[in-house]
Amino acid sequence: GGEPVDLSPRRAPRLILQALADQREKCPGVALELDALLAVGWPGERLLTEAGATRVYTAIATLRRMGLKPYLLRCDDGYMFDAAAPLVRWGSS
């Protein structure tokens, strides 16, 4: 409901957001695991587990600060958009 946010300079959060939106459209209520989000946000990079998790947590925190906090849910399996919240895509990547 807020103003649009430009994620074009923030590659990893943008890619993670796209993956979460895709997952929400395909399988509402099913989370993406940290490994999947890491692979999407930093394709081809090999990282230690802890370093990769920190990157994903930081990207999710960035998205939450930009206004998605009520809609990005953490669960045992990873992260997902709230299946009960409306999802509208603006523009294309």
Side-chain angles (χ1 to χ4, degrees):
E3 291 295 315
V5 175
D6 181 13
L7 285 175
S8 61
R10 297 173 183 247
R11 182 176 180 262
R14 177 174 38 86
L15 294 173
I16 287 172
L17 180 63
Q18 289 173 345
L20 290 168
D22 291 345
Q23 178 72 358
R24 160 68 191 286
E25 289 176 339
K26 288 188 285 188
C27 302
V30 177
L32 286 176
E33 295 178 351
L34 283 180
D35 290 344
L37 294 173
L38 180 62
V40 166
W42 297 270
E45 288 193 39
R46 295 182 59 185
L47 300 166
L48 296 174
T49 303
E50 187 175 316
T54 299
R55 285 188 182 192
V56 172
Y57 298 146
T58 302
I60 293 291
T62 298
L63 294 170
R64 286 180 167 162
R65 278 193 310 275
M66 294 178 137
L68 293 176
K69 186 175 184 174
Y71 312 108
L72 283 177
L73 306 179
R74 170 100 168 103
C75 59
D76 291 341
D77 296 332
Y79 290 92
M80 67 178 169
F81 274 119
D82 182 351
L87 176 65
V88 178
R89 290 183 187 240
W90 293 93
S92 62
S93 56

